[in-house]
Amino acid sequence: MTLIADIIVDVPTLQTNRPYTYSIPDIFTDIIQPGMRVVVPFGRGSRKVQGFVIDIKEHETTEMELKAVESLMDSYPVLTKELLKLGEFLAYQTFSFQVKCYQTMLPAVMRAKYSKKVRLIDEIPENLYWEVFKGKDEISWEEAENKNVLSQLIKLEKQDKVEIDYDVKDKAAAKKIKKVKPALSFEAYEEIREGIRTNAKRQKLFIDVLQSMDDKTSLSYAELRELGVTSSTIRSGLEKGWCEVFYEEIYRDPFASRIFEPTTPLTLNKDQAHAFSEIYQTIKDDQHNVFLLKGVTGSGKTEVYLQTIREVIDKGEGALMLVPEIALTPQMVQRFKSRFGDEVAVLHSGLSKGEKYDEWRKIEKEEAKVVVGARSSVFAPLKNIGIIIIDEEHETSYKQEEFPKYHARDVAIWRGNYHNCPVILGSATPSLESRARATKNVYTLLELNNRVNDYPMPDVDVIDMREEAKSGNPSIFSKALLDGLKKRIDQGEQSVLLLNRRGFSSFVMCRDCGYVLECPNCDISQTLHMDTKTMKCHYCGHEEGIPKKCPKCESRSIRYYGTGTQKVEKELKELLDDAEIIRMDVDTTRKKGSHERLFKQFENKQANILLGTQMIAKGLDFPDVTLVGVINADTALGLPDFRSAEKTFQLLTQVSGRSGRGEKEGQVIIQSYNPEHYAIQYAKQHDYDSFYKKEMNLRHLSDYSPYYYLLKITVSHENEMTAAKKIRQYTDYIRPSLSDKAIVLGPTPKSIARTHNRYHFQVLIKYKREKNLTEKIHQLLSETQKEQAKGMYISIDYQPLDFI
DNA sequence: TTAACGAGAACG
DNA sequence: GTTCTCGTTAAA
């Protein structure tokens, strides 16, 4: 019986987005399994590519000559049956390539690295041999490219004088360390000691160490060094047969130096206990159910998570806990590590690729039962999931912006269904979609309406900045906010200041002629970066110097506009002498670990004000923070996005929740130019339900989510007319297959019509039920392949979250 | 006549 | 993504 394998190859194009069949050489038949990575020859030149085995079956027909699997990259399947199936589903639903889906499920190091080499197999002209090959019999493709001899080499290849060789390298490597163990008996060492010179102190020391070890213990080179045994001593000992050296696989543990004090479960209050028991019931019964856990800030959602996870672990199953990247703070990790110790694996962007791989292996080997991580952790290779939790479920970062454009919430529910386990969506401000599903009983609603220990919600004051300006205060700080900050400094309390960056940036404008410095490639103003003293385009990365005079009218009154964190910090220092400010933004947190360091400093009260962007709004718990200020509450309200009110409400509610988490009462001051806006007013009143009602009403009137689903098609081309013509054509192609219930918006130019010197258009399809739509889009994509190859980019976003 | 270029198809 | 084929065009 011969076996063949269905393999998805790493060639991300539409035409190759399907399984290819390969024969399996006898030596692999016993080992190969679906889910393994393999190397296969592909295409005319049989170049080597990475592939994923998705199925193994018996050879049926002999009609077609099959190529054979070249080698195995894994000794065990890296993708489970479940993940293989999920990848297939995701590829279809998000209009992505199946390989891309599998690659996103795995740590980055497991993606193959390709290299091309030219190897000599016969005599070649002398000059080429010496100048290009320099006496070697193999050079890299890049070397040949640099020397401009590619065409000559290709000719030589046809004459079988040289060979072009493809290499697939696996970057995934477990870190290994060198260790030493004794090779001889206690008595033997005694004898050796007699034999060595009295002044060979190092050797004597090494003998002592070896003698003190039994054959089960071993020491690493680093440990031996600490004892005073150098590597040269070890080497000579090895030569004399005193010891043995071997390699041991280790994990790069980013939390190695940290000690986590174990914590015990806290007593749950009535609401928490109710939520817990509802969830516990489904855990016990192995039932799939989606819960929406709506709990006000500070209501103890995390404790409910922790206790349900405990139940799952005790049942012998794994738990998956998703947290938005910016909320994945050391504080958050600590709570899980303290409760579950080594059973926790943490995956976040701060880890190096190697560290991520190690955490992944720990999960794969079932050494870690609890996975805490950001979006991509939803693919964690847990084999038996007992619960999936998505904290802050309303966060838009759960949707991946690149292909595959998946939403972690959808993936979580898919996996929950597969594993027959509950999925918990937690938030103080659930997305309208989730809240609406709870109303329709698609999700089960669980509410925590009180803060733990019955701490009151903080008082929220909304300051009208228009009045402030009228009364002659030009500052970015209202009098109330400044007084509040002063008071906290005097009382030895702390404040958090949020600068809402969304829809906001600092740009350069000429005060005489109104000229704004724009990017030469994109129709967008460039942003000022004080740290590098340059202007940057946030879309294409174009960078140039800060203009000293206006390029248009030569005026020197070209000035910076807008408010950045640096500017706020500077002004604050001028206004408040005693202000000790910690600033957190992309500039100060770029370096690894700086996040944590800054938070630690604030926690240790080395500063009285924490100033930052969105990243300070989440999951932080500082008991001495009694004032939270929002400098610009409404910069996002004006954006052309139907979710902008929702996002503003969520942000204000989240950040308000940072105040008064200790025994002292908290205050929140929101500065706004639209103080009467309902998003701001309901946030002030901590009134989610009224906001929900009002917003649902508006969404209903304008036919938006959650009443309608959305699909976004974007088309871009170098030529504006071509792009416009094509998107109209595509829209006309799809329209006939839609029911009369569907609404087509556009096509329209995107609000930033040009980036990277390309023109972008989009069309939105709003629909309730369109069973043909997905299929039709797939058809569109396959029928437009030729145009896509010629520079017409088409991108489909299923349930998009942004429209800008 | 031959080399060069571009589009199209196929990849097991 | 890469390679090969085929048809056409440009250069010698």
Side-chain angles (χ1 to χ4, degrees):
Chain A
M1 176 185 72
T2 45
L3 291 179
I4 53 170
D6 276 344
I7 290 168
I8 299 286
V9 292
D10 180 17
V11 184
T13 64
L14 249 171
Q15 293 175 86
T16 52
N17 189 33
R18 61 190 181 85
Y20 284 86
T21 318
Y22 284 85
S23 64
I24 301 169
D26 292 343
I27 41 164
F28 298 146
T29 43
D30 294 335
I31 334 163
I32 196 164
Q33 284 176 64
M36 282 182 179
R37 296 172 304 148
V38 290
V39 177
V40 290
F42 191 77
R44 306 260 202 160
S46 282
R47 72 194 163 102
K48 309 291 184 289
V49 296
Q50 190 184 51
F52 291 94
V53 179
I54 57 163
D55 197 14
I56 302 227
K57 48 193 183 190
E58 275 178 47
H59 203 341
E60 286 153 17
T61 56
T62 43
E63 280 165 35
M64 198 169 43
E65 197 57 40
L66 297 177
K67 285 185 184 173
V69 170
E70 166 105 3
S71 62
L72 307 183
M73 293 179 80
D74 297 303
S75 51
Y76 58 92
V78 293
L79 291 170
T80 57
K81 287 242 164 62
E82 180 212 355
L83 291 174
L84 286 171
K85 208 169 142 192
L86 174 59
E88 192 186 342
F89 163 76
L90 265 189
Y92 185 76
Q93 200 198 36
T94 66
F95 307 97
S96 306
F97 306 124
Q98 213 167 325
V99 243
K100 287 268 168 208
C101 293
Y102 292 142
Q103 284 169 342
T104 39
M105 291 177 177
L106 295 170
V109 283
M110 295 179 84
R111 204 165 297 179
K113 205 182 148 203
Y114 296 105
S115 63
K116 220 170 164 183
K117 283 176 186 149
V118 186
R119 188 176 322 138
L120 287 180
I121 44 177
D122 204 348
E123 297 277 301
I124 61 162
E126 285 277 314
N127 62 325
L128 265 183
Y129 182 67
W130 291 112
E131 277 164 33
V132 180
F133 284 83
K134 292 190 181 126
K136 290 176 287 185
D137 57 358
E138 196 181 78
I139 58 163
S140 74
W141 189 257
E142 289 73 31
E143 273 178 83
E145 227 167 9
N146 292 338
K147 297 212 165 69
N148 276 322
V149 287
L150 281 186
S151 54
Q152 290 177 69
L153 287 175
I154 287 165
K155 268 181 221 150
L156 287 167
E157 197 217 351
K158 292 213 176 82
Q159 299 162 20
D160 283 331
K161 299 264 171 83
V162 299
E163 183 176 59
I164 293 169
D165 204 34
Y166 301 89
D167 201 24
V168 183
K169 260 216 186 76
D170 190 1
K171 288 174 285 173
K175 196 173 176 180
K176 288 177 183 160
I177 54 162
K178 253 182 169 175
K179 293 192 93 174
V180 174
K181 65 179 180 188
L184 304 168
S185 66
F186 188 89
E187 293 74 25
Y189 285 126
E190 210 54 52
E191 236 169 79
I192 293 165
R193 194 198 314 274
E194 302 298 311
I196 47 182
R197 299 197 312 272
T198 41
N199 60 351
K201 281 194 186 139
R202 293 276 175 195
Q203 296 200 15
K204 277 216 165 120
L205 177 71
F206 190 29
I207 294 292
D208 288 343
V209 172
L210 287 170
Q211 205 168 22
S212 71
M213 296 159 73
D214 58 51
D215 48 348
K216 279 187 196 71
T217 57
S218 60
L219 289 168
S220 70
Y221 270 48
E223 287 165 325
L224 284 166
R225 176 165 308 232
E226 291 210 342
L227 296 168
V229 183
T230 61
S231 59
S232 60
T233 314
I234 300 171
R235 200 179 323 121
S236 69
L238 186 64
E239 278 162 19
K240 290 172 189 141
W242 297 352
C243 62
E244 281 172 36
V245 171
F246 65 103
Y247 289 90
E248 190 175 83
E249 276 193 21
I250 55 149
Y251 293 125
R252 287 151 274 219
D253 185 355
F255 296 99
S257 58
R258 212 112 15 105
I259 296 147
F260 295 98
E261 285 291 321
T263 59
T264 46
L266 308 172
T267 314
L268 302 177
N269 66 25
K270 197 167 142 259
D271 286 347
Q272 286 174 312
H274 173 252
F276 172 81
S277 73
E278 288 275 312
I279 300 162
Y280 176 62
Q281 197 60 39
T282 55
I283 294 173
K284 221 176 62 187
D285 299 347
D286 281 322
Q287 259 177 19
H288 170 59
N289 195 4
V290 183
F291 294 96
L292 177 62
L293 180 60
K294 177 182 170 291
V296 296
T297 52
S299 60
K301 286 189 290 292
T302 312
E303 190 56 35
V304 176
Y305 302 153
L306 291 168
Q307 297 199 16
T308 48
I309 291 172
R310 171 52 67 201
E311 296 299 332
V312 166
I313 295 178
D314 289 349
K315 211 178 143 205
E317 297 177 333
L320 193 47
M321 170 87 202
L322 300 193
V323 169
E325 186 67 56
I326 49 170
L328 199 50
T329 56
Q331 278 189 353
M332 186 81 193
V333 172
Q334 175 144 22
R335 294 188 74 171
F336 282 85
K337 287 254 181 181
S338 308
R339 194 69 65 87
F340 305 115
D342 290 340
E343 290 178 301
V344 182
V346 181
L347 295 163
H348 67 91
S349 66
L351 302 179
S352 71
K353 281 181 183 173
E355 285 168 345
K356 273 189 198 150
Y357 175 56
D358 286 351
E359 292 294 297
W360 184 90
R361 277 195 303 149
K362 259 194 245 171
I363 303 164
E364 202 279 326
K365 289 185 182 168
E366 303 190 76
E367 287 168 24
K369 288 276 187 160
V370 182
V371 179
V372 180
R375 180 181 59 225
S376 62
S377 315
V378 77
F379 298 116
L382 286 167
K383 290 179 185 81
N384 196 356
I385 302 178
I387 195 168
I388 305 176
I389 299 167
I390 302 197
D391 194 28
E392 313 266 6
E393 70 86 32
H394 62 277
E395 271 293 309
T396 52
S397 62
Y398 283 125
K399 173 92 192 268
Q400 174 148 302
E401 296 282 328
E402 301 108 60
F403 282 108
K405 299 187 179 182
Y406 69 92
H407 198 300
R409 195 202 292 141
D410 300 337
V411 176
I413 293 171
W414 191 97
R415 295 194 78 181
N417 195 31
Y418 185 95
H419 288 274
N420 281 318
C421 75
V423 173
I424 302 176
L425 309 177
S427 177
T429 52
S431 63
L432 286 232
E433 287 79 2
S434 295
R435 184 60 187 81
R437 274 178 207 154
T439 306
K440 288 195 152 188
N441 289 323
V442 181
Y443 300 163
T444 307
L445 183 66
L446 301 170
E447 287 189 275
L448 307 178
N449 289 319
N450 299 296
R451 289 186 138 187
V452 287
N453 302 330
D454 288 318
Y455 289 140
M457 296 302 287
D459 277 332
V460 179
D461 296 315
V462 179
I463 309 295
D464 188 341
M465 290 306 279
R466 295 168 303 192
E467 292 298 322
E468 205 71 21
K470 262 187 225 160
S471 64
N473 178 7
S475 157
I476 38 178
F477 298 100
S478 62
K479 192 172 174 302
L481 181 54
L482 213 52
D483 289 347
L485 290 169
K486 252 184 223 150
K487 193 175 128 198
R488 296 311 181 302
I489 294 174
D490 294 343
Q491 292 174 353
E493 294 167 1
Q494 292 179 299
S495 308
V496 167
L497 271 184
L498 175 92
L499 186 70
N500 187 2
R501 292 283 288 184
R502 225 183 106 80
F504 203 85
S505 56
S506 30
F507 55 93
V508 162
M509 186 170 99
C510 173
R511 291 183 127 192
D512 289 347
C513 71
Y515 173 85
V516 174
L517 188 66
E518 287 190 348
C519 171
N521 310 318
C522 313
D523 289 335
I524 188 180
S525 53
Q526 293 189 58
T527 307
L528 177 72
H529 282 247
M530 270 326 271
D531 54 333
T532 50
K533 301 254 189 307
T534 52
M535 304 297 300
K536 277 183 200 164
C537 170
H538 280 189
Y539 283 82
C540 72
H542 169 87
E543 202 170 334
E544 60 183 84
I546 302 168
K548 297 218 163 49
K549 58 182 181 186
C550 175
K552 201 169 144 202
C553 72
E554 308 258 300
S555 158
R556 295 206 162 258
S557 339
I558 189 155
R559 287 240 344 233
Y560 319 132
Y561 280 82
T563 306
T565 40
Q566 288 135 325
K567 201 179 157 195
V568 175
E569 184 186 21
K570 193 165 160 265
E571 190 163 338
L572 203 51
K573 275 188 175 148
E574 283 163 12
L575 291 166
L576 297 171
D577 296 334
D578 313 327
E580 298 288 339
I581 305 161
I582 288 176
R583 175 164 65 90
M584 282 193 85
D585 55 26
V586 278
D587 297 329
T588 60
T589 55
R590 201 165 310 156
K591 270 226 290 279
K592 196 178 162 182
S594 52
H595 238 103
E596 183 172 2
R597 201 190 69 240
L598 293 172
F599 279 136
K600 262 258 125 47
Q601 284 175 11
F602 191 63
E603 198 175 11
N604 297 338
K605 304 196 82 174
Q606 291 172 30
N608 37 39
I609 296 172
L610 177 66
L611 165 68
T613 50
Q614 258 77 334
M615 61 179 80
I616 61 170
K618 302 267 181 282
L620 296 168
D621 213 338
F622 299 114
D624 283 316
V625 171
T626 54
L627 173 65
V628 167
V630 182
I631 294 167
N632 51 342
D634 39 25
T635 40
L637 283 175
L639 293 173
D641 177 347
F642 73 87
R643 279 187 255 257
S644 64
E646 182 184 352
K647 284 181 190 151
T648 301
F649 176 81
Q650 284 163 348
L651 180 67
L652 294 180
T653 307
Q654 297 287 336
V655 75
S656 302
R658 300 303 117 219
S659 180
R661 288 176 83 96
E663 312 223 323
K664 297 165 202 155
E665 242 173 73
Q667 194 199 357
V668 178
I669 295 177
I670 295 173
Q671 301 189 152
S672 166
Y673 287 90
N674 295 285
E676 61 286 335
H677 193 284
Y678 66 95
I680 293 174
Q681 283 302 320
Y682 287 132
K684 170 185 158 76
Q685 291 149 27
H686 309 289
D687 190 353
Y688 175 87
D689 293 336
S690 299
F691 173 80
Y692 170 71
K693 241 186 236 159
K694 166 95 182 168
E695 185 69 14
M696 281 297 272
N697 197 16
L698 291 172
R699 301 280 178 94
H700 187 53
L701 289 174
S702 52
D703 293 335
Y704 268 114
S705 173
Y707 293 97
Y708 278 83
Y709 290 115
L710 274 171
L711 188 113
K712 183 173 75 170
I713 305 174
T714 340
V715 163
S716 86
H717 193 267
E718 287 175 357
N719 184 294
E720 194 173 4
M721 288 306 291
T722 317
K725 204 176 91 197
K726 282 293 167 189
I727 193 158
R728 227 171 293 130
Q729 193 182 314
Y730 300 155
T731 311
D732 292 341
Y733 175 85
I734 294 162
R735 212 189 299 261
S737 63
L738 296 173
S739 73
D740 53 3
K741 290 254 179 61
I743 302 165
V744 178
L745 290 186
T748 50
K750 294 198 65 161
S751 54
I752 295 156
R754 189 175 62 127
T755 64
H756 298 88
N757 270 325
R758 300 180 65 85
Y759 292 86
H760 306 267
F761 288 82
Q762 69 175 28
V763 61
L764 279 176
I765 299 170
K766 297 201 277 193
Y767 63 98
K768 286 189 191 245
R769 221 161 303 149
E770 294 292 335
K771 58 180 197 300
N772 301 325
L773 183 59
T774 310
E775 196 49 48
K776 193 75 185 171
I777 300 279
H778 276 287
Q779 282 172 26
L780 173 74
L781 288 172
S782 88
E783 281 179 32
T784 54
Q785 273 184 72
K786 283 175 199 164
E787 290 165 327
Q788 291 184 60
K790 285 186 209 154
M792 174 73 62
Y793 294 171
I794 308 178
S795 155
I796 312 291
D797 196 344
Y798 170 74
Q799 313 302 351
L801 289 182
D802 72 295
F803 312 94
I804 303 165

